[in-house]
Amino acid sequence: MISDSIKELLIIAIGSALVSNVVLSQFYGLCPFLGVSKQLKTASGMGAAVIFVITLASFVSSLVYRFLLQRFHIEYLKTIVFILVIAALVQFVELVLKKKIPVLYKSLGVFLPLITTNCAVLGTALTNVQEEYGVLFSTVNGFATACGFALSICILAGIREKMQYNNIPKAFQGMPIVLVTAGLMAIAFCGFSGLL
């Protein structure tokens, strides 16, 4: 019984992080993926913040859905409620970091408020409801999804840093070569579909 649950959790984690990568397979969160991936340092900061927020948002939204929305039969309000939960969580995290860890708060800068508008956070919370995951499974799915986001944005940032030194044709300079690179990454991540 316990080993079956652990096996299912591992399948969800691998599937969410690699096979159904939130950016490269589902195309959620493309704005920060393309906009914040110019340098590895900023991309890793964004990835760490997204891991924290998506994991926490998955946990809290799962609790709210189970013990509030389902109890009062108002499941149709889930999108609005999840948006409010995510916005409140990001504001709470921002206040705590500003007060307790000002160095980390300054290093994240504008990336923390940007997470509120990252559709990957809302998409993960809605996926957890759609798949009927419990609180534990929702949290694991949120953590794995966020790790997949962080992995993909860091890979793209590393590639973009190296591309600065390449001789790229004028028509492909800037965003076109970034989109081609992201497309090639998506094709490469399709290779993980054989894992499950």
Side-chain angles (χ1 to χ4, degrees):
M1 181 78 178
I2 294 174
S3 63
D4 289 341
S5 296
I6 293 173
K7 185 178 177 182
E8 194 173 344
L9 283 171
L10 282 173
I11 289 171
I12 288 172
I14 292 169
S16 296
L18 299 175
V19 177
S20 298
N21 186 285
V22 72
V23 177
L24 300 173
S25 294
Q26 299 175 15
F27 308 112
Y28 292 155
L30 286 177
C31 295
F33 177 69
L34 297 173
V36 186
S37 61
K38 292 179 182 173
Q39 294 180 339
L40 190 57
K41 183 180 177 184
T42 56
S44 59
M46 181 65 161
V50 165
I51 287 173
F52 183 74
V53 170
I54 288 184
T55 305
L56 195 59
S58 295
F59 175 73
V60 173
S61 61
S62 179
L63 288 176
V64 167
Y65 185 77
R66 269 189 182 273
F67 299 113
L68 185 68
L69 299 180
Q70 280 186 332
R71 177 173 286 175
F72 296 108
H73 305 291
I74 51 173
E75 293 93 347
Y76 58 89
L77 293 175
K78 66 181 176 263
T79 304
I80 295 169
V81 171
F82 289 170
I83 289 171
L84 293 174
V85 165
I86 291 164
L89 280 173
V90 171
Q91 290 300 315
F92 174 73
V93 168
E94 193 172 357
L95 287 173
V96 168
L97 287 179
K98 188 175 185 179
K99 191 84 165 170
K100 301 286 184 189
I101 314 171
V103 175
L104 181 59
Y105 174 77
K106 287 180 183 175
S107 69
L108 288 176
V110 73
F111 303 128
L112 212 54
L114 276 176
I115 295 171
T116 306
T117 60
N118 187 345
C119 58
V121 184
L122 179 61
T124 303
L126 292 174
T127 299
N128 291 336
V129 170
Q130 183 180 9
E131 296 293 330
E132 298 178 356
Y133 290 149
V135 176
L136 175 64
F137 283 80
S138 294
T139 307
V140 168
N141 183 52
F143 177 74
T145 299
C147 287
F149 178 88
L151 175 69
S152 57
I153 197 171
C154 287
I155 290 172
L156 183 63
I159 293 171
R160 285 181 75 174
E161 282 185 352
K162 298 294 182 190
M163 281 193 308
Q164 291 177 355
Y165 305 109
N166 293 340
N167 188 13
I168 298 170
K170 188 170 177 83
F172 283 98
Q173 289 177 0
M175 196 51 68
I177 194 67
V178 174
L179 291 172
V180 169
T181 305
L184 292 173
M185 284 176 59
I187 291 170
F189 268 67
C190 284
F192 289 120
S193 62
L195 287 175
L196 301 178

